[in-house]
Amino acid sequence: MAEADGKAQKDAGRGGGRLCCICQARKPALKRPKTLQQICRECFYAVFEAEIHEVIVENRLFKPGERIAIGASGGKDSTVLAYVLSELNQRHNYGLDLFLLSVDEGITGYRDDSLETVKRNEMQYGLPLKIVSYKDLYGWTMDEIVKMIGMKNNCTFCGVFRRQALDRGAAMLKVDKLATGHNADDIAETVLLNILRGDIARLSRCTSITTGEDGPIPRCKPFKYTYEKEIVIYPLTPISFYYYFSTECIYSPNAYRGFAREFIKDLERIRPRAILDIIRSGENFRISTSTRMPEQGTCERCGYISSQKWCKACVLLEGLNKGLPKLGIGRTRGPNAEPKQDQMPNGSRSMASKQCGTLDF
Amino acid sequence: MHLTLEFGGGLELLCDAVKIHDVHVEPPVGSEKMTMRDLLLWVQKNLIKERPEMFIKGDTVRPGVLVLVNDCDWELSGQLDTTLEEKDVVVFISTLHGG
Ligand SMILES: [Zn+2]
Ligand SMILES: [Zn+2]
């Protein structure tokens, strides 16, 4: 006891003896990147959860009685999201039915481990879990795809397939909406990448907190304004869910995105607000009337939403099944050779290829 | 000086996939105290077995690596200038992968 007191005193001295600027009572444990406030652990949990509640209410992300799937990868963002949403749902009577939805890409040694984490979440939070696999949906695992196409464009396949797999899983669960764990750092990074690619259509879309409202399953991002640093610190507590999965996808050589990420982290170190500022600039971009948006229709083959005759997944699958895996990568040939509508100037190149291991937009 | 070092968020993979290391570290010759600056040099030399660039950038941790000293954000204790004491627990977590 005496020893513990001595330790606490020493630590207080090391922290400059200052007190938490919210409760003015306890020793601060972290500096919030968003506000630069020094706050204690207890106040941190309170403001972290309160801010997410505020974002949910202000943006009307959910309606009472809705069924909501949480895109669960086993990583830190979706693990914390599942925990926080189920807490807030009870605390504030949102009246939501929550589900966990995971995609099994079929990557040996990577996804099987992270799916174990999701299964643990299912037990801990009592949320029903649905797993959809590439093998069942498309007849191919990522391991098999990589064996066929090599390491070069595999993130393209994975990104296109995952997006569709989540929509199909959500349809099977009959949910009204899909919530994903994208955080403020992810969104800032995507804004930057879309500027670098000159992808105006995605630039204006990627900061929206809810997307796809015209499609089958709208998606929302309750962590849009939540810093990654706080998501990582949040579970480091006596709470029992320190457990999340954190290894890079073994097929993820997406160096370009990696550089953008590092640039964001460099900026954050100099000026933590930079992350919110980048999101703000993304929000403030408006599409000029001369940029034509692709018209949405449905894929003639599988019925999935598509601006062309066949959806991207069907084009890629056709290539795989015919042994022509380059089909659908780079300039489009094959089934979509005659575009149904005017294509975006960069239509076939502009697919999202969010680093594997995280969910794409 | 006895310290407990913990690596997470994938950083453990850089040190033989071991998350928790109980170590003995001595302050540099001619100095009475041990700072985080000294500890980072020691970790780089003694624990990091591969891809040091995932851990260090310049003279400090790579941006995106969180450091906690006794459960407290090191940004509050002076970062590299934080003085370490007997039985301190230092946690390094990468925030960079795994969504
Ligand atoms: Zn406080
Ligand atoms: Zn299709």
Side-chain angles (χ1 to χ4, degrees):
Chain A
M1 187 67 199
E3 198 185 317
D5 284 350
K7 187 97 192 152
Q9 260 171 25
K10 274 193 301 187
D11 288 345
R14 212 174 336 197
R18 243 169 301 180
L19 292 173
C20 163
C21 66
I22 293 179
C23 65
Q24 307 289 348
R26 287 174 292 252
K27 183 172 106 57
L30 85 146
K31 192 165 164 187
R32 295 199 77 194
K34 206 183 278 190
T35 59
L36 304 181
Q37 285 174 308
Q38 306 194 359
I39 61 174
C40 73
R41 205 154 276 277
E42 287 79 359
C43 291
F44 168 58
Y45 298 130
V47 291
F48 181 91
E49 291 163 12
E51 281 181 7
I52 290 156
H53 173 60
E54 239 166 72
V55 167
I56 289 171
V57 172
E58 271 174 23
N59 296 281
R60 297 195 189 89
L61 294 191
F62 310 117
K63 289 193 206 84
E66 277 186 334
R67 293 163 67 90
I68 305 295
I70 300 163
S73 66
K76 61 184 189 307
D77 300 306
S78 57
T79 300
V80 173
L81 181 65
Y83 174 79
V84 171
L85 276 189
S86 60
E87 281 289 305
L88 293 178
N89 188 31
Q90 286 173 19
R91 193 180 305 163
H92 300 287
N93 296 313
Y94 290 167
L96 303 176
D97 272 328
L98 298 175
F99 301 85
L100 298 172
L101 173 58
S102 293
V103 177
D104 182 357
E105 297 92 342
I107 304 175
T108 312
Y110 167 72
R111 198 42 106 199
D112 21 343
D113 289 356
S114 60
L115 285 175
E116 285 310 308
T117 312
V118 181
K119 285 176 193 157
R120 196 174 301 120
N121 296 158
E122 176 186 27
M123 310 248 285
Q124 276 179 324
Y125 316 148
L127 302 178
L129 165 66
K130 168 91 191 161
I131 300 175
V132 287
S133 76
Y134 284 6
K135 186 72 181 173
D136 290 347
L137 291 177
Y138 309 113
W140 292 76
T141 65
M142 266 319 280
D143 286 342
E144 289 164 352
I145 293 174
V146 169
K147 207 176 275 173
M148 169 124 173
I149 66 166
M151 295 284 273
K152 201 151 172 242
N153 291 304
N154 54 72
C155 278
T156 301
F157 280 85
C158 206
V160 171
F161 285 176
R162 185 185 295 115
R163 177 164 194 91
Q164 214 179 92
L166 279 170
D167 277 344
R168 290 183 190 243
M172 291 178 213
L173 284 171
K174 297 192 175 64
V175 295
D176 300 291
K177 215 172 259 175
L178 177 68
T180 60
H182 294 105
N183 59 45
D185 298 50
D186 292 331
I187 295 167
E189 176 192 300
T190 305
V191 168
L192 206 62
L193 283 173
N194 284 330
I195 292 173
L196 295 175
R197 291 182 186 129
D199 192 337
I200 301 297
R202 274 178 203 278
L203 177 59
S204 63
R205 221 180 326 151
C206 73
T207 57
S208 305
I209 194 158
T210 303
T211 52
E213 281 161 302
D214 47 344
I217 316 272
R219 297 180 176 214
C220 68
K221 305 189 265 279
F223 283 168
K224 179 182 172 190
Y225 301 105
T226 308
Y227 274 64
E228 187 158 65
K229 174 180 172 180
E230 297 197 346
I231 293 173
V232 172
I233 285 185
Y234 182 80
L236 297 181
T237 63
I239 308 178
S240 61
F241 75 113
Y242 183 71
Y243 232 112
Y244 58 80
F245 187 78
S246 55
T247 304
E248 252 171 316
C249 171
I250 50 170
Y251 298 141
S252 169
N254 197 335
Y256 196 58
R257 189 174 267 279
F259 280 124
R261 187 60 154 205
E262 209 165 327
F263 178 63
I264 302 251
K265 294 288 184 196
D266 283 338
L267 287 178
E268 181 189 17
R269 181 168 280 178
I270 302 163
R271 179 178 147 84
R273 272 209 59 96
I275 289 178
L276 288 182
D277 291 345
I278 292 171
I279 296 177
R280 175 69 43 81
S281 24
E283 286 171 343
N284 289 340
F285 272 101
R286 293 279 176 272
I287 301 180
S288 71
T289 46
S290 63
T291 310
R292 216 173 322 191
M293 299 293 290
E295 211 159 296
Q296 291 290 350
T298 49
C299 170
E300 282 183 9
R301 201 162 174 238
C302 73
Y304 189 75
I305 43 159
S306 172
S307 55
Q308 304 194 19
K309 206 165 142 188
W310 283 18
C311 74
K312 199 78 209 172
C314 283
V315 175
L316 291 173
L317 263 180
E318 177 76 2
L320 281 175
N321 292 332
K322 282 198 171 149
L324 303 164
K326 291 249 165 71
L327 204 64
I329 294 187
R331 205 168 319 145
T332 306
R333 265 177 297 145
N336 289 335
E338 296 164 63
K340 212 164 142 185
Q341 299 287 340
D342 284 323
Q343 280 188 48
M344 292 268 301
N346 54 356
S348 57
R349 282 182 292 113
S350 62
M351 62 186 59
S353 55
K354 171 109 184 155
Q355 200 164 29
C356 292
T358 38
L359 302 165
D360 66 311
F361 280 88
Chain B
M1 176 184 300
H2 173 252
L3 300 172
T4 303
L5 309 182
E6 207 177 318
F7 295 84
L11 287 177
E12 69 278 11
L13 299 175
L14 310 182
C15 21
D16 294 327
V18 177
K19 284 197 173 204
I20 296 173
H21 299 254
D22 283 307
V23 300
H24 282 278
V25 188
E26 291 308 320
V29 187
S31 169
E32 295 151 38
K33 55 177 197 173
M34 173 96 192
T35 64
M36 276 301 296
R37 186 177 283 108
D38 304 323
L39 180 67
L40 286 184
L41 289 172
W42 187 90
V43 166
Q44 242 181 306
K45 200 166 151 218
N46 295 282
L47 294 183
I48 303 290
K49 302 286 161 61
E50 53 179 295
R51 292 178 288 164
E53 72 280 1
M54 301 288 284
F55 182 63
I56 292 283
K57 185 169 178 178
D59 64 347
T60 187
V61 292
R62 175 183 179 189
V65 173
L66 273 177
V67 185
L68 305 175
V69 179
N70 298 332
D71 278 342
C72 185
D73 189 353
W74 79 330
E75 290 188 36
L76 298 179
S77 57
Q79 294 175 311
L80 288 173
D81 295 321
T82 308
T83 306
L84 294 168
E85 285 158 25
E86 180 67 22
K87 290 189 181 148
D88 276 350
V89 179
V90 183
V91 180
F92 300 98
I93 308 162
S94 171
T95 65
L96 288 168
H97 26 79

